Amino acid sequence: MFHLSDFSPLPSLTPTLFILLAPPSVGFVAYTGLTGGLDAFARVLYYTALFLALLLASNALRFYRLPFFVSAWAYSFPLAALTTATLRMAELSGLDFFVWLGSGLLGVTSVVIVLLAVRTVRAAVAGELIAGE
């Protein structure tokens, strides 16, 4: 069994693993916008993003237990990009599964952003937001 700490000697940089979600998610949205539909390459982009999301979700508790660093905002954009890609997949495929998945991801993304905002304000009030403050 692997541990997240095996891959990142600096816990403050661990949230940046979520950045891996952004390229295939944004690529899917852009590619389908250019081509106007789903094809094999679009599906590869989307399912790559979904696979990475499942891989990261398997470590959700470890991410949650990390001390707060400003780098935790690295969760927000990739999750929003995956949510947008999933809602686009729902639109193009017409499958209810992607509507439900997109709705769930929208809820998760919203909760994550609210938690990040609350933890950022707490850290700022405590004077712990900027190192050396």
Side-chain angles (χ1 to χ4, degrees), residues 49-89:
L50 196 57
F51 171 76
L52 290 169
L54 291 172
L55 190 64
L56 290 167
S58 71
N59 286 295
L61 285 176
R62 286 188 181 105
F63 285 113
Y64 183 74
R65 290 179 181 151
L66 286 171
F68 179 76
F69 299 99
V70 175
S71 62
W73 279 95
Y75 300 135
S76 62
F77 175 74
L79 279 174
L82 179 62
T83 301
T84 302
T86 302
L87 293 172
R88 178 77 171 144
M89 180 64 128

Side-chain angles (χ1 to χ4, degrees), residues 83 99-109:
T83 301
V99 173
W100 288 103
L101 182 59
S103 299
L105 283 170
L106 182 59
V108 168
T109 302

Side-chain angles (χ1 to χ4, degrees), residues 37-60:
L38 281 176
D39 61 12
F41 183 66
R43 291 178 193 277
V44 166
L45 286 171
Y46 178 75
Y47 289 120
T48 298
L50 196 57
F51 171 76
L52 290 169
L54 291 172
L55 190 64
L56 290 167
S58 71
N59 286 295

